[in-house]
Amino acid sequence: MEVGRMDIDLIFSELFTGEGSGLIVIAFAIAFFIAVFIAVSAGWFRIILSIASFAYPSARVRAMGNPLVTAEGADTLSDAGDLLELFERAERFGHIIEYREGMAPDDTERLIRSYHYTLLGNLAVSVPDAIHSLILGYIQVYLAEEVAALLRGISGGLPRDLIEKRAVPIGAFSESEIRKAAHSGSVEEAVQRLERSGVFPGIRDIWKKTGEQEGYAVFESALLSESYLSLMMTARGIEESQYEPAVLMAGRMIDCQNLRILIRGRLYGADAAAIEPFLIPRGGFEITGDILRDLTRSADLPELSSLISETMYGPYIEPFIEGVKDNPDPGAIEQSLSQCLLDIGRMVSSQYHLGSGPIFRYLVALGIECENLRAAAAGILYQVPAESIRGQMVVQVSGR
């Protein structure tokens, strides 16, 4: 055998002898490092694919933006002289809403909701598969609100045609399903129809557990709570690369919803036993477990405010505590919580800018844009001064 060359047959024969044990170890070591390299490369490859899949959808929502939560957008809307001018101004910012001059107030409000839901549906079919189910879960929250409003009308004895007219189709809650539910003889009959059609799976069980036992108000709250819990379960089940922003956004939404309920309860003098059935019991980000229990048992708003002073929500609520003592209206605090959600959306967008962050920010800000539009429309209808209309709008604060 020549020097510097090794017979291949000799190598393989020695691999299975005591003399070749060292070569076996080396072979296994090389195989191990190759496997590790492949695994690491596959992990990085998945990350690169995930970033690539979000590149266009994120760029698209950034390009569309949410101009009606900017100071310029809010100023422009609040200065409109009538509804026709309002929607013309909204169109300049990219929001093309088919308003017809002379529409009734209810029809105008319904038009804005319908526009919002259309944009949500369009977004749901354009996002990557990784968060498609989460967008559908977000839409389900609005669907629950529409279902609750329809059932509330039945419970309150409103004319069935009016109930049908006020409802807006969203997701599986189509015009046909709205018609069937709205013309039911009772809430229970409507619930059965919604269960059978698959519009709101599990609604009949919720009715049996709450509606039949504790009345409609608790039942409606349970419906909304179920939609938020479902959103959080969906967030926890999506792929790992998008898990953190999804859970953060869903948890913060639940926190703010619970804070709204707690604040209303405290302002209207309700005790812990009266407030608790209306809360979302799980899924919060900061307002959960012992903190949620302590807030529920707090004696008044100052105590509630002190309990959340170390959370993100403290600075948004504390400035309004003194004001509501003389005027027990939760409007200013709830507006500030919407401001908080808008800020959270921006933080999520910045922190997770290579993934789903910009899309989640757009979702939240879009809802607030439509709230601003409704506030402006209502202000114009009731001849509220422009500065007062502007004060009812939620706007992104620079520097936050």
Side-chain angles (χ1 to χ4, degrees):
M1 184 171 60
E2 297 179 10
V3 177
R5 295 183 58 188
M6 185 176 292
D7 188 277
I8 194 69
D9 292 332
L10 180 60
I11 294 175
F12 277 100
S13 66
E14 288 185 352
L15 281 174
F16 299 99
T17 66
E19 296 177 359
S21 60
L23 290 175
I24 293 176
V25 172
I26 293 171
F28 275 119
I30 293 172
F32 173 77
F33 284 116
I34 291 173
V36 169
F37 176 77
I38 292 172
V40 171
S41 298
W44 279 107
F45 186 64
R46 283 194 299 271
I47 292 172
I48 292 169
L49 282 179
S50 178
I51 292 172
S53 70
F54 279 96
Y56 174 73
S58 294
R60 180 171 172 268
V61 297
R62 283 195 186 100
M64 290 189 297
N66 299 102
L68 301 187
V69 295
T70 64
E72 181 187 359
D75 290 342
T76 302
L77 293 185
S78 61
D79 286 336
D82 54 34
L83 288 179
L84 182 61
E85 185 181 355
L86 173 71
F87 288 103
E88 286 176 348
R89 291 183 175 208
E91 186 170 345
R92 292 179 209 161
F93 287 101
H95 289 290
I96 304 172
I97 304 173
E98 297 178 357
Y99 171 78
R100 297 186 305 278
E101 192 169 4
M103 288 181 74
D106 275 0
D107 292 336
T108 302
E109 197 274 340
R110 185 180 184 276
L111 180 67
I112 296 171
R113 285 185 2 248
S114 179
Y115 172 73
H116 182 199
Y117 300 162
T118 297
L119 292 185
L120 290 178
N122 292 343
L123 184 68
V125 299
S126 66
V127 298
D129 291 342
I131 62 167
H132 177 71
S133 61
L134 190 72
I135 305 301
L136 295 181
Y138 183 82
I139 291 173
Q140 193 72 11
V141 173
Y142 286 99
L143 185 149
E145 291 178 354
E146 290 291 335
V147 168
L150 183 146
L151 297 177
R152 190 188 315 128
I154 296 174
S155 177
L158 292 180
R160 297 304 191 255
D161 288 342
L162 179 60
I163 295 171
E164 179 185 350
K165 182 182 178 183
R166 285 181 172 176
V168 177
I170 178 172
F173 199 34
S174 64
E175 289 186 359
S176 173
E177 298 303 337
I178 287 172
R179 188 180 310 111
K180 293 175 187 176
H183 290 274
S184 301
S186 64
V187 172
E188 183 173 9
E189 182 183 340
V191 163
Q192 290 172 348
R193 288 181 173 180
L194 292 166
E195 178 75 34
R196 284 198 300 269
S197 65
V199 170
F200 200 116
I203 190 172
R204 194 160 180 267
D205 289 339
I206 297 172
W207 169 255
K208 286 184 175 181
K209 291 176 183 176
T210 57
E212 291 182 353
Q213 305 297 324
E214 302 179 69
Y216 179 77
V218 175
F219 166 65
E220 179 177 327
S221 179
L223 278 184
L224 298 177
S225 177
E226 180 63 27
S227 68
Y228 277 102
L229 289 171
S230 177
L231 176 65
M232 176 53 79
M233 288 183 65
T234 302
R236 288 174 174 166
I238 67 173
E239 71 173 43
E240 186 178 355
S241 64
Q242 306 306 320
Y243 175 88
E244 285 187 10
V247 169
L248 189 156
M249 202 73 241
R252 294 291 188 187
M253 288 175 62
I254 290 173
D255 283 351
C256 288
Q257 183 68 8
N258 275 337
L259 284 171
R260 289 188 182 98
I261 294 167
L262 288 162
I263 288 163
R264 287 178 201 150
R266 286 288 159 263
L267 283 175
Y268 301 138
D271 59 18
I275 294 173
E276 191 168 3
F278 295 91
L279 295 170
I280 304 167
R282 302 179 305 280
F285 193 80
E286 279 191 279
I287 310 300
T288 187
D290 291 342
I291 295 178
L292 181 59
R293 184 197 64 225
D294 293 342
L295 289 171
T296 307
R297 295 175 181 176
S298 59
D300 51 31
L301 269 182
E303 183 181 349
L304 183 149
S305 178
S306 68
L307 288 170
I308 62 169
S309 61
E310 299 300 319
T311 70
M312 178 178 184
Y313 312 106
Y316 291 88
I317 292 176
E318 288 169 0
F320 300 96
I321 297 301
E322 289 298 320
V324 296
K325 288 181 180 178
D326 299 325
N327 179 25
D329 180 0
I333 297 179
E334 294 189 3
Q335 186 179 347
S336 188
L337 284 172
S338 293
Q339 179 75 61
C340 177
L341 273 178
L342 188 59
D343 292 343
I344 290 167
R346 189 161 77 164
M347 287 188 290
V348 169
S349 178
S350 176
Q351 185 174 354
Y352 301 97
H353 61 281
L354 294 178
S356 54
I359 296 173
F360 294 157
R361 190 263 178 191
Y362 172 80
L363 273 179
V364 172
L366 176 63
I368 295 173
E369 281 189 296
C370 291
E371 289 175 8
N372 284 349
L373 261 176
R374 286 197 291 269
I380 290 170
L381 285 168
Y382 291 104
Q383 299 181 337
V384 176
E387 60 270 18
S388 298
I389 294 175
R390 177 65 171 77
Q392 297 299 313
M393 294 183 177
V394 178
V395 175
Q396 186 73 65
V397 178
S398 59
R400 275 184 175 170

